[in-house]
Amino acid sequence: MIHFEQVTKAYGGNPAVLRCLNFQVRPGEFVSLIGRSGCGKSTTLSLINRLIEPTSGTIRVDGQDIATTNPVALRRRIGFVFQGIGLFPHLTIAENIGITPRLLGWPAVEIKTRVRELLDLVRLPPTCESRLPRELSGGEQQRIGLARALAARPRIMLMDEPFGALDPLVRDELAADYSVIHRQLRLTTVLVTHDMTEALLLSNKIIVQHAGGIVQIGTPQKLLSAPADEVVAALIESPRRRIGQLTRLLEQGSML
Amino acid sequence: MNTATQAVDLLPAYLGNHILLSVSAIALGMVISLPVAIASARSRRASGLLLAGASVIQTVPGLALLALFYPALLALSAVTTRQFGFGVPALGFLPALLALTLYAMLPVLRNTIVGLAAVDPAIKTAARAVGMTRPQSLLHVELPLAAPMIMGGIRIAAVWVIGAATLSTPVGQTSLGNYIFTGLQTENWTFVLFGSVAAAMVALIVDRLLALAETGLALHSRLRLAAASTGIAALLAASLYPLAGSADTTVVIGAKNFEEQYILSALIARRLADSGISAKTRSDLGSTIIFRALVAGDVDVYVDYSGTIWANQMHRQDEPGRSAVLNQLTRWLAEKHRVRNLGSLGFENAYALAMRRDRADALGIRTLIDLQTHAAELKIGGDFEFFSRPEWAVLQRTYGLRFALQRSYQPTFMYRALRDGDVDVISAFSSDGRIEQYGLKLLEDPKGALPPYDAVLLVSPQRSHDRRLEAALKPLVGAINLPAMQRANLMVDGDKRTPEEAAIWLAEGMGGLRFGVGREEVRNGRRHQVRQH
């Protein structure tokens, strides 16, 4: 569904921030891009809907080289969710959710029905339609961000650390909800995260990026059992250590 | 009629013109600034250059900016006349509009650029990500988010322009400034106050209406937006009302910026009204501007003084005698500019140096020759024009005058400064009522350095063969002698009567019945008074 072939990105005469990326995402897959800050994972994501253009290499979506497509049309058929949420502060919740359908020229009635459906899908009451984003909590706002990305029934969802700014409880809840939506709607999702636990729990394929290149691609199980190098091992180590600590705590609790 | 009532009577015309001018300038300023600001907002360099340019314009004083458009448009008019056979008006609405438009541009430019730059980059990325094209992002996201800031800029522009529009009076555009300029000249403080307060009120009302629109935009309140637009529309409609029905055939009467000119223009207006000719007056014009305006046809008739044209337009420094000056001047006007001199009104309003009688007597100064020995210890005051006029250069050269200090004043304050001892000598006008009122002594000019200043009635080239106009104005020729003019001037300066009242008084006495003095006598009288041949 998404193919990266020898994709490189460099700004001006500086050393490349992404070097020779090769990977593919199959239909229905939930792929996480993970790595430390500055490893190029967000840039990789933005290349997929042409928010950023590659310096060289080819990216295909549904078999078509995206360099030959209209970027605006491309973006309208791909959902995008930001860490910063990026709701339009001057538009109501309904207007925010309905923006892409509106740009695509859907009839008003159809947009209205779709907004209702989506509010239901992201588990928000229909009464918030006429409110402004600032009147909602952070978690609610990100649910709207999700609804907006899903509005025009995209097949592909791109998510750039969508749960990063939320408090842990809200974040787990939303991640779990999205996991269900991903399966229900048979979406293909690419998620950028720096949280290995999140990547392990949500995705069926993880791409580990480091210093502009890919160090390992594999299933969560593969990463846990056979980390390719110390970078991957270090990333895996954190959730492992925490599991150990938690287990010990629980054991102590049951002994009391 | 008291001055307050008179001020109120003039309000519809002054206010209407003021609002129409201001609103046009603000609208034009927005129409130019908004697209330019939007186009340049993406480039830091372009927007920087633009703001720097607009800031430079802003530092030019309002009055100077307005005045500069006059010669600029005059030159443009000459070009269009040659190329396309029609001219552009260099006086009145157009120069005022253009200057004020420039004034309106900076705040709108600045706030639009700043407002667009302040939009959160994450929101702009989101706009692209949901599939907006660049214009869609601008229209649906960036401009709405920058709107409160842009409205703030428009509010600043509106207040600036409404204030600065009072300065458009000297370029011949009627505005609330007419109260201020006329009031300043005739020491009619009611008028000055009335004009200032009216302009401030308009600025305040417009500012409140725009503030309402601004909060309406910020809060998405359709009610507030509707209320604001209704208010602005009502203001516009009210401003257009008094302007209805002014035809192109209207004769434009010009007046310079002092009492005598107000009185004479009012007198001309009366004559024309009596003959059924529609006319309007443009007052407070500078003496060079008014002559150019006459030649260009922006003014159709006004009273000038022979010496002024002799020295300033003909660049003559000799003094061949009164009738020779008049004859040569009439011929020069007709041949060079196709301007018609209908004739002399019957009095002179000469430039003459004046001192307080007590001071002059104490120093033993009677003539300009006497003045020479004391000049180094004395301070001289002049009106705004005087020190740049050729007559001043001739006076200085002829009598070797070097004063300790020279200062320019608005004429009213010049007389006050002399009375209060701030200056010792001033450039007085011989027909000025204040010469008697303040007990001033006009210094004699034994070497004849100053030309004669006969009041002459001039008609523009395109009206020079207008028989009706000529018939209406001809009775003024030879009808006003010096005492009559001085008395009329004093009515305005001293008795606080309006120029119209003084004009009526002059009109009633016309035909010599009231004055009882022949022209010859007056001429001799002034000769003795000022020059003493």
Side-chain angles (χ1 to χ4, degrees):
Chain A
M1 188 141 222
I2 303 169
H3 288 258
F4 271 58
E5 291 163 20
Q6 301 289 325
V7 174
T8 295
K9 174 69 187 176
Y11 290 100
N14 300 318
V17 291
L18 293 175
R19 278 190 311 274
C20 283
L21 295 191
N22 287 294
F23 67 86
Q24 52 176 306
V25 179
R26 295 205 178 80
E29 269 189 330
F30 196 131
V31 174
S32 289
L33 299 175
I34 192 164
R36 294 170 190 280
S37 309
C39 71
K41 55 189 191 294
S42 287
T43 307
T44 308
L45 191 74
S46 300
L47 288 169
I48 301 171
N49 72 346
R50 291 187 65 183
L51 284 177
I52 297 175
E53 303 288 348
T55 309
S56 65
T58 310
I59 302 164
R60 292 179 203 282
V61 171
D62 290 332
Q64 192 188 8
D65 182 354
I66 60 168
T68 64
T69 64
N70 176 346
V72 172
L74 178 74
R75 288 177 204 135
R76 288 177 185 174
R77 60 187 176 93
I78 297 178
F80 204 109
V81 183
F82 302 89
Q83 176 181 19
I85 302 172
L87 294 182
F88 303 119
H90 60 298
L91 300 182
T92 63
I93 297 308
E95 288 168 331
N96 262 286
I97 296 176
I99 191 79
T100 308
R102 193 175 136 206
L103 293 170
L104 286 166
W106 289 20
V109 188
E110 209 175 311
I111 296 175
K112 205 172 158 68
T113 321
R114 181 69 183 146
V115 169
R116 286 275 156 83
E117 253 172 57
L118 286 161
L119 282 173
D120 190 47
L121 185 70
V122 299
R123 301 203 289 139
L124 283 174
T127 47
C128 68
E129 270 188 4
S130 57
R131 297 166 78 182
L132 290 171
R134 62 167 171 267
E135 299 171 57
L136 304 185
S137 72
E140 287 170 326
Q141 286 186 29
Q142 194 53 291
R143 283 173 185 274
I144 302 301
L146 191 58
R148 181 178 69 183
L150 290 166
R153 301 199 176 87
R155 307 287 316 285
I156 297 173
M157 285 287 279
L158 307 179
M159 307 177 88
D160 192 357
E161 302 202 32
F163 315 124
L166 305 174
D167 70 66
L169 221 62
V170 174
R171 160 193 192 130
D172 287 353
E173 199 180 276
L174 195 53
D177 281 358
Y178 181 69
S179 192
V180 172
I181 291 171
H182 167 81
R183 271 192 312 263
Q184 244 177 24
L185 302 180
R186 297 198 188 88
L187 297 168
T188 303
T189 301
V190 182
L191 172 83
V192 164
T193 181
H194 58 256
D195 180 349
M196 188 48 113
T197 315
E198 192 171 271
L200 291 169
L201 293 176
L202 288 174
S203 40
N204 40 37
K205 188 199 273 178
I206 297 174
I207 299 175
V208 183
Q209 287 184 273
H210 183 71
I214 293 175
V215 289
Q216 187 170 11
I217 301 178
T219 61
Q221 293 76 10
K222 180 82 182 295
L223 253 66
L224 286 167
S225 58
D229 63 0
E230 61 276 19
V231 176
V232 183
L235 281 167
I236 294 293
E237 192 46 37
S238 157
R240 255 192 216 289
R241 198 171 45 238
R242 293 170 79 183
I243 291 166
Q245 287 165 346
L246 275 172
T247 317
R248 275 194 298 282
L249 257 174
L250 285 168
E251 280 164 1
Q252 281 166 18
S254 63
M255 279 187 330
L256 279 172
Chain B
M1 185 167 41
N2 71 41
T3 50
T5 333
Q6 200 201 4
V8 172
D9 284 347
L10 290 167
L11 192 63
Y14 287 6
L15 186 65
N17 279 293
H18 196 95
I19 292 176
L20 189 70
L21 173 67
S22 306
V23 171
S24 309
I26 296 162
L28 191 59
M30 279 166 58
V31 166
I32 298 170
S33 301
L34 282 174
V36 170
I38 290 166
S40 73
R42 302 226 117 192
S43 151
R44 200 171 282 270
R45 196 162 157 185
S47 51
L49 274 173
L50 206 62
L51 287 179
S55 301
V56 168
I57 292 171
Q58 216 67 46
T59 60
V60 179
L63 198 57
L65 192 64
L66 279 154
L68 283 173
F69 267 95
Y70 178 71
L73 285 174
L74 212 58
L76 178 69
S77 188
V79 173
T80 57
T81 309
R82 209 174 321 117
Q83 297 293 323
F84 312 107
F86 66 88
V88 292
L91 218 54
F93 191 74
L94 194 62
L97 175 70
L98 295 178
L100 292 174
T101 298
L102 282 182
Y103 249 46
M105 281 172 61
L106 176 71
V108 179
L109 276 176
R110 190 180 48 206
N111 282 35
T112 307
I113 288 170
V114 170
L116 287 175
V119 174
D120 184 354
I123 303 280
K124 287 193 265 192
T125 310
R128 290 175 66 211
V130 300
M132 287 191 192
T133 60
R134 171 90 197 99
Q136 284 170 335
S137 166
L138 202 59
L139 196 68
H140 298 307
V141 177
E142 295 169 56
L143 281 176
L145 290 178
M149 188 79 184
I150 297 172
M151 275 308 291
I154 294 170
R155 274 174 70 188
I156 298 171
V159 172
W160 282 7
V161 164
I162 292 168
T166 55
L167 300 174
S168 62
T169 299
V171 292
Q173 166 63 29
T174 304
S175 72
L176 291 171
N178 283 40
Y179 286 122
I180 298 170
F181 282 92
T182 308
L184 204 57
Q185 196 53 48
T186 57
E187 296 191 48
N188 184 341
W189 307 122
T190 313
F191 259 45
V192 175
L193 199 65
F194 194 91
S196 311
V197 170
M201 291 287 288
V202 173
L204 206 67
I205 291 169
V206 170
D207 186 57
R208 292 326 302 163
L209 285 172
L210 292 175
L212 196 65
E214 189 181 329
T215 52
L217 279 174
L219 301 173
H220 308 278
S221 160
R222 296 227 159 78
L223 188 71
R224 280 168 195 260
L225 279 174
S229 13
T230 311
I232 290 167
L235 208 62
L236 264 179
S239 75
L240 289 173
Y241 165 72
L243 303 176
S246 70
D248 221 351
T249 53
T250 304
V251 171
V252 180
I253 305 164
K256 300 189 192 188
N257 52 357
F258 50 95
E259 302 75 348
E260 183 169 294
Q261 287 276 320
Y262 303 152
I263 298 169
L264 293 173
S265 63
L267 185 62
I268 293 170
R270 267 188 82 77
R271 291 291 322 160
L272 296 185
D274 288 349
S275 312
I277 299 170
S278 72
K280 62 178 179 184
T281 305
R282 280 182 174 167
S283 342
D284 295 303
L285 302 171
S287 56
T288 309
I289 284 191
I290 200 170
F291 181 75
R292 295 235 200 97
L294 182 82
V295 173
D298 290 333
V299 161
D300 292 311
V301 55
Y302 82 102
V303 174
D304 211 329
Y305 306 95
S306 57
T308 301
I309 290 174
W310 186 258
N312 289 272
Q313 305 302 333
M314 297 167 73
H315 306 295
R316 297 281 291 261
Q317 297 190 349
D318 52 331
E319 211 277 81
R322 192 170 180 183
S323 58
V325 166
L326 275 175
N327 287 339
Q328 290 185 40
L329 172 122
T330 306
R331 206 175 326 122
W332 182 84
L333 284 173
E335 285 167 7
K336 184 87 199 272
H337 294 294
R338 296 192 300 116
V339 164
R340 179 143 180 232
N341 176 11
L342 277 186
S344 307
L345 295 182
F347 70 94
E348 270 192 76
N349 182 4
Y351 257 129
L353 296 190
M355 294 182 75
R356 259 163 54 177
R357 194 175 299 279
D358 54 347
R359 184 104 169 104
D361 291 347
L363 293 171
I365 299 174
R366 200 171 55 82
T367 69
L368 293 176
I369 297 174
D370 304 332
L371 185 63
Q372 184 188 349
T373 50
H374 296 281
E377 304 121 51
L378 299 177
K379 289 174 275 188
I380 184 167
D383 62 69
F384 294 132
E385 290 185 14
F386 185 69
F387 296 118
S388 56
R389 282 175 70 126
E391 292 100 313
W392 170 236
V394 173
L395 262 185
Q396 276 187 304
R397 202 166 53 240
T398 311
Y399 293 102
L401 296 174
R402 287 284 173 276
F403 288 91
L405 187 75
Q406 71 184 45
R407 281 199 191 127
S408 292
Y409 292 90
Q410 191 271 342
T412 295
F413 295 119
M414 177 181 76
Y415 282 100
R416 290 276 172 93
L418 181 66
R419 187 192 63 185
D420 301 341
D422 293 334
V423 292
D424 307 291
V425 185
I426 59 165
S427 66
F429 309 105
S430 64
S431 63
D432 202 307
R434 283 172 292 207
I435 289 166
E436 275 310 306
Q437 194 191 353
Y438 290 166
L440 306 186
K441 182 175 187 138
L442 294 175
L443 305 183
E444 290 164 16
D445 172 19
K447 296 185 186 171
L450 290 170
Y453 289 88
D454 274 291
V456 286
L457 197 52
L458 304 185
V459 177
S460 66
Q462 80 263 34
R463 299 276 184 190
S464 60
H465 300 295
D466 187 330
R467 298 267 162 232
R468 262 181 86 206
L469 185 68
E470 186 181 343
L473 295 177
K474 207 72 187 177
L476 293 175
V477 172
I480 307 169
N481 60 26
L482 186 69
M485 196 64 238
Q486 278 181 332
R487 177 79 195 91
N489 283 336
L490 195 58
M491 280 174 77
V492 176
D493 287 330
D495 307 344
K496 297 288 156 215
R497 311 284 281 276
T498 65
E500 287 71 22
E501 288 172 315
I504 292 169
W505 179 81
L506 275 179
E508 282 169 353
M510 220 164 265
L513 288 171
R514 175 174 289 191
F515 311 144
V517 195
R519 290 180 65 193
E520 208 52 33
E521 263 178 86
V522 179
R523 182 190 296 171
N524 292 340
R526 202 196 69 80
R527 287 264 148 172
H528 284 297
Q529 204 174 24
V530 185
R531 266 202 302 274
Q532 291 226 329
H533 279 212

